[in-house]
């Protein structure tokens, strides 16, 4: 095994583990970084989680997720803003500087993509200063276009950057997630654009495999099993000067059905083989 110093294990990759099991497993494997999700953290307790991580010497590379800004109803929009402020506070309590945003899909009955994206920018204008005061960066994650209708109207890095660049880089940047952008022939140019502006706030790995399962959300592949050239993406991202964590985030029911320690060892080995 070679250097794992930049490897971060996203909590969803080994969803079958509890938070304490994840932290213990990573310590045993010599991995000192994790990406966390709000649901399990809230269930365990934010302060308890923060103390557990501190005692184990682990760093949180990102917290997922904030976002869902595209509602038309004013009350729903206000509720979303309140929830995102809570997410920012949780990220600060966990000592992570990155809150990942899944921006939201089209409201029911709407076909107005441009309007939905504009509402994302309006929300970020309110949340950016709040996040900055707490040392947290907001990271817009573009999702594959198959999610545009119901989850995320931001489908490309170009679209994410068009929004992020309205704000200071220390407030709003982007997530480079190979699963969502591997297909885009503009990805290299947009990674360079993001890097030049200091807006790569998170770099995540998962493979694209086909056929997709019926529940496409859990269709991410183990590294090396699909279409993504991870080493090429790492070189593109590092070519911008990015030297931060590399987070493996895989939603896959087959992985979740296996022994967690076995999955963790396999992820680390695949990371070395295909990304290093």
């Amino acid at each position: 095994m070679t250097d794992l110093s930049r490897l971060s294990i996203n909590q969803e990759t080994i969803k079958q583990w509890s938070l304490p099991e994840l932290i213990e497993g990573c310590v045993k494997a010599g991995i000192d970084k994790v990406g966390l999700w709000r649901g399990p953290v809230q269930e365990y307790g934010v302060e308890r989680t923060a103390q557990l991580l501190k005692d184990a010497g682990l760093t949180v590379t990102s917290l997922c997720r904030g976002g869902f800004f595209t509602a038309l109803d004013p009350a729903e929009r206000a509720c979303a803003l309140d929830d995102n402020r809570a997410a920012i506070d949780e990220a600060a309590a966990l000592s992570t500087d990155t809150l990942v945003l899944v921006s939201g899909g089209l409201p029911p009955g709407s076909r107005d993509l441009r309007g939905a994206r504009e509402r994302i920018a309006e929300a970020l204008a309110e949340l950016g200063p709040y996040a900055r005061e707490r040392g947290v960066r907001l990271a817009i994650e573009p999702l594959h276009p198959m999610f545009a209708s119901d989850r995320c109207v931001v489908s490309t890095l170009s679209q994410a950057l068009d929004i992020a660049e309205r704000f200071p880089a220390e407030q709003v940047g982007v997530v480079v997630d190979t699963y969502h952008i591997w297909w885009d022939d503009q990805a290299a140019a947009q990674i360079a654009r993001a890097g030049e502006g200091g807006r790569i706030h998170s770099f995540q790995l998962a493979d694209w495999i086909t056929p997709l399962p019926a529940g496409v959300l859990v269709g991410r592949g183990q590294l090396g099993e699909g279409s993504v050239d991870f080493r090429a993406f790492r070189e593109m991202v590092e070519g911008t000067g990015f030297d931060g964590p590399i987070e493996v985030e895989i939603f896959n029911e087959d992985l979740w059905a296996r022994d967690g320690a076995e999955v963790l060892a396999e992820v680390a080995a695949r990371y070395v083989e295909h990304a290093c």
Side-chain angles (χ1 to χ4, degrees):
M1 191 69 70
T2 59
D3 186 12
L4 299 177
S5 63
R6 294 176 63 192
L7 175 61
S8 174
I9 301 297
N10 187 279
Q11 188 169 18
E12 286 292 288
T13 303
I14 315 178
K15 187 177 182 178
Q16 62 269 45
W17 268 354
S18 67
L19 254 170
E21 288 173 330
L22 175 69
I23 291 169
E24 180 183 3
C26 285
V27 169
K28 287 181 178 179
I31 297 167
D32 64 359
K33 298 175 180 62
V34 292
L36 298 181
W37 279 66
R38 293 180 68 199
V41 168
Q42 290 169 349
E43 183 178 347
Y44 191 76
V46 176
E47 298 303 328
R48 287 181 70 202
T49 300
Q51 188 61 53
L52 198 64
L53 291 160
K54 181 179 179 182
D55 292 345
L58 265 61
T59 299
V60 181
T61 54
S62 72
L63 179 65
C64 197
R65 66 191 178 206
F68 291 90
F69 301 125
T70 55
L72 289 165
D73 179 73
E76 290 182 34
R77 290 179 57 73
C79 183
L81 288 171
D82 286 344
D83 184 61
N84 276 272
R85 292 186 189 98
I88 291 165
D89 292 342
E90 292 163 13
L94 295 168
S95 300
T96 181
D97 63 0
T98 302
L99 176 65
V100 174
L101 304 179
V102 176
S103 298
L106 285 172
S110 174
R111 296 176 176 84
D112 183 8
L113 284 168
R114 181 175 296 181
R117 292 174 186 140
E118 192 59 33
R119 289 191 294 280
I120 295 167
E122 291 169 1
L124 293 174
E126 292 198 39
L127 294 170
Y130 186 89
R132 180 181 59 188
E133 290 172 0
R134 288 151 183 79
V136 176
R137 308 175 301 180
L138 305 176
I140 303 169
E141 182 171 15
L143 268 58
H144 189 279
M146 67 180 173
F147 296 113
S149 64
D150 63 343
R151 284 184 120 29
C152 188
V153 296
V154 179
S155 301
T156 66
L157 274 178
S158 177
Q159 292 168 357
L161 288 165
D162 285 347
I163 296 172
E165 287 170 353
R166 302 190 195 188
F167 309 99
E170 64 270 17
Q171 289 185 27
V172 184
V174 298
V175 179
V176 176
D177 186 329
T178 60
Y179 178 76
H180 292 298
I181 67 168
W182 71 273
W183 56 273
D184 186 356
D185 62 0
Q186 294 300 308
Q190 297 305 317
I191 287 170
R193 172 185 170 190
E196 184 177 357
R199 294 184 187 272
I200 301 177
H201 291 349
S202 180
F203 178 35
Q204 297 183 334
L205 308 182
D207 217 337
W208 181 274
I209 53 174
T210 49
L212 293 174
V216 295
L217 278 175
V218 294
R220 299 187 181 204
Q222 174 63 283
L223 308 186
E225 292 186 350
S227 305
V228 181
D229 186 341
F230 295 106
R231 189 165 291 109
F233 269 97
R234 178 184 59 77
E235 290 171 354
M236 281 187 271
V237 171
E238 289 181 352
T240 72
F242 178 88
D243 60 358
I246 302 174
E247 190 173 310
V248 177
E249 183 187 58
I250 304 171
F251 309 156
N252 185 296
E253 290 182 341
D254 289 340
L255 292 184
W256 297 337
R258 292 168 51 191
D259 175 74
E262 179 184 275
V263 173
L264 180 60
E266 183 177 278
V267 167
R270 296 292 188 92
Y271 167 82
V272 170
E273 179 181 0
H274 296 285
C276 290

